[in-house]
Amino acid sequence: MTTTDINDVAKLSRLGDIAVLALDSPPVNALSARLRDGIKGGIDQALADKDVRAIVLICRGKTFVAGADITEFGKPRTGTPLPDLVDLIENSPKAVVAAIHGTALGGGLELALACHYRVAVPSAKVGLPEVKLGLIPGSGGTQRLPRLVGVQKALELITSGAQVAAPVAEGLGIVDKVVPEASLEDAAIAFARDLLAAGASHPRVRDRDDKIGPARGKPEIFAEFRKANARAFRGFLAPEYCIRAIEAAVEQPFDDAVKYERSLFLELVAGSQSAAQRHVFFAERQAWKVPDIADDTPTIPVAKVGIIGAGTMGGGIAMNFANAGIPVTIVEMKQDALDRGLGIIRRNYEATAAKGRLKPEDVERRMGLLSGALDLSALADCDLVIEAVFENMDIKKDVFGKLDGIVKQGAILATNTSYLDVDEIAAATARPDHVIGLHFFSPANVMKLLEVVRGEKTAKPVVATAMQIARKIGKIAVLVGVCHGFVGNRMLAQRQREANKLILEGAMPWDVDRVLYDFGMPMGPFAMSDLAGLDIGWSKETTSSSTVREILCEMDRRGQKTGAGFYDYDEKRRASPSPVTEKIILDLAARKGITRRAISDDEILERCIYPMINEGAKILEEGKAIRASDIDIAWINGYGWPVYRGGPMFYGEIVGLDKVLARMKEFEARLGPDFKPAALLEKLVAEGRGFK
Ligand code: 3H9
């Protein structure tokens, strides 16, 4: 065997008449310029070697090529373009076999689809996840995949970015052969030898028409797909571009359609949506990293969890742990509340099972991990106890004081408070270093975000354990500091305040909601309040008819649950603007001496969003979040901020921090100190910098 280093990431070996081009660029063999050059050099050399009759393309390390190198996007392009490489391989007169392990994703799968054959180990996965980065596959993926799997399947796979396991990929025709896990290279070489021995041709995917031909001249296939997915695709450019490129695969000659695909890709890669989604990709990975906590910080094994409170929150939290196979004891004060809570959890699981997303035996297994108790003493041997009781400082302090005396030393005591001072709660115990906030978002079994609230005295192993357990239960954790409402709710309060002011100054709730919905939020603040219930925190005894919400509650318009709130609801819970609310608003504005005026959509948006960005800047200057991108991750995963706008802080940068600051100053002059710019915002603008 002879081996040549093509460059530092590509090696070419020859075993008889088979050349093996091995790529080794950790961590994921992303197609950097160096790797692309290495592949080109290797293929050229193998083609020039008259003794080579077939080529195997394989990767070292944990995975086949996981895609283009995302860090190169948005920078000047260097090295061999991927489309050229793909053409070189597909048109190679010697058969090229891709040997896949790990994940062949994006440009990695495109490379493999240009090969004449693909073999993969059973654990391998393939997919075109570009859409998740606001892109479409840019090197023939939208052209070749439909030729192998058909139009419908290609639409599904490419617009979802889903990964397919090798055995399924074999059934779909993406992979030619699944080979034993432990012997990929040998099996790929044997596969190539068999091809040569059989004198097999080496087909090009581009020449196939059997799977796409039937869809030709049938625009309804694409129209129906768009319609069926309109909700999921709302606001995103990339899924629509994927559909157009696949339609081109069906309707246009290959070379024209590839050019079209490329033009769509280049447009998207230069646009703000993809920049936002790429930002989110890296931000999600960054959020796990805590600068002052080393990777080797010891963690506390969490084998058993206690939860106090079997209400909606406590029940949802418990499900996360049961889902991850961790036993949970739930403590409630009364048997009927406990039974109700456990009953709701069971119904939740059964509903999931009814949709086919959970096996009946898994329902039982998970329920079997949950036990109930009426006394805190049942929590003595838990490693982590999470309190999810009523949001009241005195109650929480009382609970923590008791827990401290009951739960074994070394265990973590966590509060699910959404606003309260974690340090004050910690001070009710003799182990403040083992107290932390774990702020779940409702519904806690569904929402991805977990704000991990680090108290002044929280020990590093406790923080490290919280981050680790968050990952284990499938959450995206953001580490935050103690302040009122932490990161998410503290910023939300800014938006809420402005929304309430706007409706008195001249807008209507449905105007504000429409603007924020069109911006990409799942719903506006008033629709959201109606859904949550307007009477949260409201009381008959203290109400004073001084806000629209109070007056609505006084009239028993408490939101969706009473059939009316800011909106009127029909029997199917469909909302319509309410003349009653309109009158309440007009009367209250008059009573407060406010002269109403026409308010533009732009003003609504800026007034709701810019103070949030400003508050985010204050959070950063106070050190309550580690980095701006963590704030973005919190808003995307906890509040449905549209991922294609990258989170509030990224959005501020897209708008231009100078513009945000200028508007804040205008609003401050006109509307008062609610708009006082954060010192950090002033500083960054003065220095011409962004949040990074
Ligand atoms: C594309 O291919 C476009 C083409 O169609 C057209 C081109 C013309 N680039 O996730 P992990 C880093 S678009 C650069 O923690 P895992 C990642 O940031 C691309 N870096 O590991 C992290 O760095 P750090 C289509 C990348 O085992 C480290 O690798 N492909 C890339 O949990 C480990 O990552 C995709 O969208 C990349 N492409 O999961 C696939 N990928 O350690 C994106 C990863 O410094 N990647 N890094 O934080 C993934 O989905 C996962 O990383 C993967 C591994 C499943 C591969």
Side-chain angles (χ1 to χ4, degrees), residues 27-28 30-31 62-63 66-71 73 82-83 103 105-108 110 128-130 132-133 135-139 163 262 265 281-282 285-286 289 471:
V28 296
L31 286 162
K62 67 174 186 178
T63 179
D69 184 341
I70 307 168
T71 60
F73 292 153
L82 186 58
T103 45
L105 300 177
E110 290 179 301
L128 293 173
E130 285 87 343
K132 296 184 184 168
L133 298 169
L135 296 170
I136 68 168
S139 294
Q163 294 182 17
R262 185 81 186 147
F265 172 83
F281 176 86
F282 290 113
R285 283 158 177 77
Q286 191 78 5
K289 296 172 187 160
R471 206 190 270 274

Side-chain angles (χ1 to χ4, degrees), residues 44-190:
D44 280 345
Q45 195 163 314
L47 290 179
D49 184 340
K50 61 177 179 8
D51 295 329
V52 168
R53 294 175 61 212
I55 304 164
V56 168
L57 182 65
I58 194 165
C59 288
R60 304 294 176 217
K62 67 174 186 178
T63 179
F64 192 77
V65 174
D69 184 341
I70 307 168
T71 60
E72 285 185 355
F73 292 153
K75 295 185 186 150
R77 265 173 288 145
T78 55
T80 310
L82 186 58
D84 292 2
L85 207 51
V86 158
D87 284 346
L88 175 71
I89 292 174
E90 190 167 56
N91 294 320
S92 150
K94 301 178 184 180
V96 186
V97 178
I100 302 172
H101 76 295
T103 45
L105 300 177
L109 180 58
E110 290 179 301
L111 202 63
L113 293 178
C115 296
H116 306 104
Y117 297 95
R118 288 154 292 283
V119 299
V121 294
S123 64
K125 290 188 178 145
V126 302
L128 293 173
E130 285 87 343
V131 73
K132 296 184 184 168
L133 298 169
L135 296 170
I136 68 168
S139 294
T142 64
Q143 305 304 305
R144 291 190 181 86
L145 193 67
R147 285 175 159 79
L148 292 177
V149 303
V151 168
Q152 192 62 34
K153 197 72 201 169
L155 282 167
E156 285 165 28
L157 290 177
I158 297 176
T159 62
S160 70
Q163 294 182 17
V164 182
V168 180
E170 185 185 26
L172 288 170
I174 305 172
V175 164
D176 297 291
K177 189 173 179 193
V178 175
V179 300
E181 198 70 48
S183 55
L184 178 62
E185 185 163 345
D186 291 346
I189 292 170

